[in-house]
Amino acid sequence: MNLELRHLRVVTAIAETGSVTKAASMLGLAQPALTAQLQRIERALGGPLFERDRRGARPTALGELVLDRARVLLPAMKGLQDEAARLAGGDAALSRLRLGGVNSPLLGRLVLRLNADQPTSQISTYASWSVDELARMVLAGRLDYALCGVCGDAVPSAELGLAWRVVAIDPVWLLMPEDHPQAGRAEVELGDFAEDRWVAAPGDGCFADCFAAACARSGFTPRKVYETDLKGSIDLVEAGEAIALCQATFRPVPGLVSRPIKGAPLRWRLLLGWHAEAPGAGFADLMVKHAANAYADILDRNDAYRTWLTTHPGFGAQVNGAFEPAI
């Protein structure tokens, strides 16, 4: 493994907090994941960087050497990125912006806001059902940012080396014909749909497993789960062939209604990702602001979900959405 700046940030975080557990919390990562990454770094450098006991983690002689270099390199790289951004045209202007997105209504509103704020920028989009594909394209420099959705508390692979900001956390709702027996309820029980068929958009995350687990907790196994794109999903629901799993921000078409599931057993987290060492990373704060405002635009057009959010804290926009840094 080649040592990278992101690895130096991990070592610095452990030294500053004096604990792998505290460093993991500061970085927004699971402690086992950070421990595994530290072990890989130590193998690459040829020895332990910290002495760990009940009192915490203290740098070894090798660790002090790495920290001395990190305290020089990390600020220097940040300064280089800032100067390069200014030389390329200043913080207020982006000459080119390449966005990737998975199944989300947010991408269109984000592009609308970016075009209004950066009218001279060349903005392009790339759609994919795969979070890993988008992340790898960002890593390869083919995209500047990826707007991705993940199930529950899942995170994209840390091995891809991207930084992530949580934009919103939404419950998964059910989309059904307005004449469905459960359509008249303000909130539905998942178990009441045991005899229905299902449809969802494709993806490469754990959503299928999470859905199956939620159904099992409600006492049934899904009869059939179709996988198709948005138009195909709507067609199946309109035909009465299936119930669709949809994001709460989705606005139903005429003849269909969406309803929240009691207890919100399924959650969808919307993340904005970028490579911390790429030129476009200097505009991350601007992108996060536009993503948050685009999400607010979507809520303004969805009275039912906005009302639901008033009694369900923890969902909706994550104003101070935690970073999930690359390790």
Side-chain angles (χ1 to χ4, degrees), residues 33-57:
L34 188 60
T35 298
Q37 183 66 15
L38 174 60
Q39 291 171 346
R40 288 193 289 271
I41 295 171
E42 290 178 329
R43 286 197 298 270
L45 291 171
L49 301 182
F50 296 93
E51 295 178 355
R52 298 168 59 189
D53 55 30
R54 295 179 181 177
R55 292 174 295 176

Side-chain angles (χ1 to χ4, degrees), residues 92-95 111-123:
L94 288 164
S95 61
V111 170
L112 183 65
R113 281 194 166 270
L114 287 169
N115 276 323
D117 185 60
Q118 306 286 334
T120 62
S121 297
Q122 296 181 358
I123 299 174

Side-chain angles (χ1 to χ4, degrees), residues 61-309:
L62 178 59
E64 291 288 1
L65 174 64
V66 174
L67 286 167
D68 286 343
R69 300 297 190 271
R71 289 168 182 143
V72 174
L73 291 172
L74 292 176
M77 180 55 70
K78 180 64 168 61
L80 174 60
Q81 290 175 331
D82 292 344
E83 291 179 16
R86 287 193 294 271
L87 184 63
D91 291 342
L94 288 164
S95 61
R96 182 184 67 173
L97 187 60
R98 299 162 299 172
L99 299 175
V102 295
N103 181 32
S104 170
L106 185 64
L107 185 60
R109 300 299 302 184
L110 177 57
V111 170
L112 183 65
R113 281 194 166 270
L114 287 169
N115 276 323
D117 185 60
Q118 306 286 334
T120 62
S121 297
Q122 296 181 358
I123 299 174
S124 62
T125 60
Y126 177 84
S128 172
W129 297 110
S130 171
V131 173
D132 281 351
E133 180 189 5
L134 293 175
R136 293 184 189 283
M137 290 180 69
V138 173
L139 187 63
R142 296 169 58 195
L143 291 174
D144 299 304
Y145 289 87
L147 190 63
C148 302
V150 294
C151 178
D153 294 322
V155 295
S157 174
E159 293 298 324
L160 296 175
L162 302 189
W164 299 92
R165 176 67 70 89
V166 182
V167 177
I169 301 176
D170 295 318
V172 175
W173 285 16
L174 302 185
L175 183 68
M176 65 196 76
E178 60 184 6
D179 59 356
H180 189 279
Q182 305 297 324
R185 297 186 177 184
E187 194 173 58
V188 297
E189 295 275 1
L190 189 58
D192 290 335
F193 295 81
E195 298 303 317
D196 287 281
R197 297 180 180 87
W198 302 88
V199 62
D204 57 4
C206 64
F207 183 75
D209 293 335
C210 293
F211 173 59
C215 292
R217 291 193 296 269
S218 295
F220 73 98
T221 299
R223 292 177 57 196
K224 174 76 175 181
V225 181
Y226 299 104
E227 191 175 89
T228 184
D229 59 16
L230 178 61
K231 180 61 168 62
S233 296
I234 291 175
D235 288 344
L236 286 170
V237 176
E238 286 181 329
E241 178 63 22
I243 301 297
L245 298 155
C246 70
Q247 297 174 43
T249 51
F250 176 75
R251 289 193 305 162
V253 299
L256 305 181
V257 296
S258 62
R259 294 290 181 261
I261 307 171
K262 186 175 181 179
L266 297 168
R267 295 182 300 148
W268 193 250
R269 291 196 307 155
L270 193 62
L271 309 176
L272 183 69
W274 63 92
H275 196 293
E277 296 168 17
F283 302 99
D285 288 343
L286 176 67
M287 290 296 298
V288 170
K289 182 186 78 169
H290 281 309
N293 289 334
Y295 184 82
D297 292 342
I298 293 173
L299 289 186
D300 286 342
R301 303 189 304 163
N302 194 319
D303 293 337
Y305 183 38
R306 195 167 63 249
T307 299
W308 185 91
L309 286 174

